[in-house]
C-alpha cells in the first residue's frame, strides 16, 4: 500500500540545511521550485510500471531474419494434372488371387454373356483400371550448401571430429492441390481437374546427396549436436527442425510472400573429400508417383526435386571451398558436353522434378 504526503514543499525547503556541493543535491537546490508531490508521483508511477510488467510480461515476439536478395533460392511448387491418375493398369494381384472372377464361355449359350459385352466382365474390367488420386506440392527454398567441422557422437559414446555437409531449407504450403472432379455423381466421368486447399499439411522429407563421379549416395543423418551451431551460423531465428521432428509440425497454408515458413536442415557426414559434381534429391515435397503396371515386378518411383551443385576444389581446406548451385556454363561445346554428362543432362538445368 502506497502512502503520500499531502503537504506541498518546495525544493528549496528540501535543500535547506544540506551541504551545497556538486551532485544531485546541488542540482536540486539550483533548479526551479517544483512540488514534492510531483516527485513522489514519478517515483510511484515508475514503481507501479515495474510491478505491472513483472506480473504481466509482454508476449515473446519471434523475429524472422531477413536475408539479402539471392541468399535464399526459392523453388515454386509444380503439380501436374497428369499426376492425378495412372492407367489403364492391369490389377494382376486381384486376378491371380481370385480366379473365380474369370468368365467361362462354356457355361453360356453361344459363348457370349447374357446382357453385357465380354469387355464388361470382372476379369476384363480388372485389366483396364484407372487409379485416381489427389496430389499436393510444397514450395521449397534453401540457403547455400556449406561445410563445418563438428564433434559427432560415435556408437561408443565418444565424440569424433568430422566434416559435416549441411543445407538449411524452408518449406511453405501454398495450397492449390489438384484432384479429379465429377460433375454428375450419377455418372462418374472425370472430365476436369479442380484445385483445392487445406488449412495445413505435413512434410515428411528425405534428402539424398548423390556424388555423380563415384555414384555413391548419402542419406541425411540426424545430428542433434549440430542444430544450435548451424542455426547461429546461418542466422536462423525461427525453430530449426531436423528431417524427423519437422514431420510433427503442421505447415499452415499461406499466400503471403513474406511468410516465415517452416525451417529445417539436412546434414551429411563421411562424404567423399573430392566431391565435385553432385545433386541433392528432396523427397516428400509432393505425393506424386509413377508405377509401370501393378505387381511385384512393377517399379514404383516417387517424384523428387533434384538440385544440382558444383564444388570446384579438392580435399584440402574443404570448408574454404564454395559450393555453387547449378550446372556450370562453358562457351566451349566440348567442355559443356562433358559437364552435362556428369549430371546426365542434355541441357543446363539448375533443378529438375524427376521420378526416382
Amino acid at each position: 500500500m502506497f502512502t503520500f504526503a499531502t503537504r506541498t514543499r518546495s525544493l528549496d525547503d528540501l535543500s535547506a540545511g544540506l551541504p551545497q556541493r556538486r551532485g544531485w543535491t546541488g542540482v536540486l537546490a539550483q533548479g526551479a521550485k517544483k512540488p514534492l508531490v510531483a516527485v513522489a508521483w514519478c517515483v510511484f508511477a515508475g514503481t507501479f510500471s515495474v510491478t505491472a510488467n513483472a506480473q504481466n510480461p509482454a508476449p515473446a515476439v519471434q523475429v524472422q531474419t531477413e536475408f539479402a536478395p539471392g541468399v535464399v533460392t526459392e523453388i515454386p511448387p509444380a503439380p501436374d494434372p497428369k499426376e492425378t491418375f495412372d492407367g489403364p493398369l492391369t490389377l494382376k494381384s486381384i486376378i491371380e488371387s481370385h480366379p473365380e472372377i474369370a468368365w467361362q464361355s462354356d457355361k453360356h449359350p453361344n459363348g457370349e454373356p447374357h446382357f453385357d459385352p465380354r469387355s464388361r466382365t470382372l476379369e476384363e474390367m480388372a485389366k483396364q483400371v484407372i487409379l485416381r488420386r489427389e496430389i499436393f506440392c510444397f514450395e521449397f527454398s534453401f540457403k547455400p550448401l556449406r561445410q563445418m567441422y563438428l564433434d559427432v557422437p560415435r556408437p561408443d559414446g565418444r565424440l569424433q571430429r568430422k566434416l559435416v555437409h549441411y543445407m538449411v531449407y524452408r518449406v511453405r504450403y501454398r495450397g492449390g492441390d489438384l484432384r479429379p472432379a465429377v460433375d454428375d455423381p450419377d455418372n462418374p466421368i472425370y472430365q476436369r481437374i479442380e484445385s483445392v486447399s487445406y488449412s495445413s499439411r505435413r512434410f515428411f522429407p528425405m534428402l539424398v546427396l548423390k556424388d555423380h563421379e563415384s555414384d555413391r549416395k548419402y542419406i541425411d543423418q540426424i545430428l542433434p549436436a549440430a542444430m544450435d551451431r548451424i542455426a547461429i551460423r546461418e542466422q536462423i531465428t525461427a525453430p530449426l527442425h531436423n528431417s524427423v521432428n519437422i514431420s510433427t509440425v503442421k505447415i499452415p497454408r499461406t499466400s503471403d510472400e513474406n511468410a516465415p515458413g517452416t525451417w529445417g536442415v539436412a546434414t551429411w557426414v563421411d562424404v567423399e573429400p573430392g566431391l565435385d559434381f553432385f545433386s541433392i534429391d528432396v523427397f516428400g515435397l509432393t505425393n506424386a508417383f509413377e508405377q509401370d503396371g501393378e505387381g511385384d515386378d512393377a517399379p514404383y518411383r516417387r517424384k523428387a526435386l533434384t538440385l544440382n551443385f558444383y564444388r570446384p576444389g579438392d580435399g584440402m581446406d574443404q570448408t574454404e571451398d564454395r559450393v555453387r548451385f547449378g550446372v556450370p556454363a562453358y562457351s566451349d561445346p566440348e567442355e559443356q558436353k562433358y559437364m552435362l554428362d556428369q549430371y546426365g543432362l542434355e541441357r543446363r538445368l539448375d533443378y529438375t522434378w524427376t521420378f526416382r
Side-chain angles (χ1 to χ4, degrees):
M1 181 176 182
F2 297 92
T3 304
F4 300 96
T6 58
R7 181 184 176 187
T8 302
R9 300 179 61 189
S10 66
L11 295 179
D12 289 341
D13 296 335
L14 291 174
S15 60
L18 294 176
Q20 300 297 322
R21 63 180 183 272
R22 298 185 62 84
W24 68 272
T25 54
V27 172
L28 289 176
Q30 298 176 3
K33 297 180 179 180
K34 298 182 179 178
L36 177 61
V37 175
V39 178
W41 173 252
C42 292
V43 175
F44 165 71
T47 305
F48 180 78
S49 176
V50 173
T51 305
N53 290 337
Q55 296 178 352
N56 300 305
V61 178
Q62 179 177 300
V63 180
Q64 178 62 40
T65 304
E66 296 291 339
F67 298 103
V71 175
V72 178
T73 304
E74 181 179 305
I75 309 296
D80 192 341
K82 295 184 297 183
E83 299 166 354
T84 60
F85 68 92
D86 270 341
L89 303 175
T90 299
L91 302 183
K92 297 181 180 179
S93 57
I94 294 181
I95 296 176
E96 295 174 356
S97 302
H98 299 276
E100 67 275 8
I101 68 174
W103 181 77
Q104 300 176 4
S105 60
D106 56 347
K107 295 183 180 182
H108 293 76
N110 301 325
E112 296 293 338
H114 289 305
F115 304 103
D116 288 334
R118 186 170 181 174
S119 60
R120 296 298 298 171
T121 60
L122 290 178
E123 182 180 15
E124 294 299 324
M125 293 175 62
K127 296 178 181 179
Q128 299 181 3
V129 176
I130 298 179
L131 303 179
R132 305 183 188 276
R133 56 185 173 270
E134 180 180 305
I135 62 169
F136 65 88
C137 191
F138 287 102
E139 174 194 274
F140 186 81
S141 306
F142 62 95
K143 294 193 67 179
L145 190 142
R146 302 177 70 181
Q147 311 97 347
M148 65 186 309
Y149 282 99
L150 292 172
D151 294 329
V152 179
R154 299 191 312 182
D156 58 1
R158 298 183 179 181
L159 297 178
Q160 181 179 4
R161 195 159 186 82
K162 288 188 176 183
L163 181 67
V164 177
H165 292 69
Y166 70 89
M167 184 179 69
V168 175
Y169 61 87
R170 179 191 68 192
V171 290
R172 293 189 293 194
Y173 174 52
R174 296 297 192 180
D177 305 345
L178 302 180
R179 70 181 180 188
V182 176
D183 296 324
D184 186 3
D186 298 331
N187 188 17
I189 299 178
Y190 299 86
Q191 296 182 341
R192 62 183 180 89
I193 304 296
E194 65 180 2
S195 177
V196 295
S197 299
Y198 300 91
S199 60
S200 64
R201 278 197 177 275
R202 294 184 185 270
F203 179 46
F204 299 88
M206 184 178 71
L207 290 87
V208 181
L209 188 151
K210 180 179 179 181
D211 183 0
H212 292 293
E213 292 182 291
S214 63
D215 203 28
R216 294 184 59 184
K217 296 182 179 180
Y218 307 87
I219 300 178
D220 62 308
Q221 301 184 15
I222 307 301
L223 301 177
M227 303 298 291
D228 293 338
R229 291 278 305 275
I230 294 176
I232 294 174
R233 185 183 187 187
E234 299 297 331
Q235 301 180 3
I236 305 298
T237 58
L240 189 62
H241 305 277
N242 57 39
S243 298
V244 173
N245 59 25
I246 196 174
S247 61
T248 64
V249 180
K250 291 184 178 181
I251 302 177
R253 179 175 61 88
T254 179
S255 58
D256 184 8
E257 293 296 332
N258 298 320
T262 303
W263 287 85
V265 61
T267 52
W268 300 271
V269 295
D270 298 328
V271 178
E272 180 67 28
L275 186 71
D276 289 327
F277 313 106
F278 66 98
S279 301
I280 295 178
D281 293 331
V282 185
F283 295 91
L285 294 174
T286 177
N287 62 333
F289 67 91
E290 283 185 349
Q291 190 171 16
D292 298 337
E294 191 268 345
D296 297 336
D297 57 344
Y300 176 86
R301 296 181 295 271
R302 293 178 295 169
K303 186 177 182 180
L305 173 63
T306 301
L307 307 172
N308 297 320
F309 293 93
Y310 172 55
R311 173 184 167 268
D314 50 26
M316 305 298 295
D317 296 332
Q318 297 185 58
T319 57
E320 302 299 326
D321 295 335
R322 178 184 176 186
V323 178
R324 293 176 171 84
F325 172 58
V327 179
Y330 291 92
S331 57
D332 187 354
E334 295 184 0
E335 292 184 350
Q336 188 63 66
K337 184 179 183 306
Y338 169 78
M339 193 62 61
L340 294 177
D341 292 341
Q342 303 301 316
Y343 298 90
L345 299 174
E346 297 181 357
R347 58 188 180 93
R348 288 189 63 251
L349 292 173
D350 294 340
Y351 70 91
T352 56
W353 291 93
T354 56
F355 289 90
R356 299 183 181 277

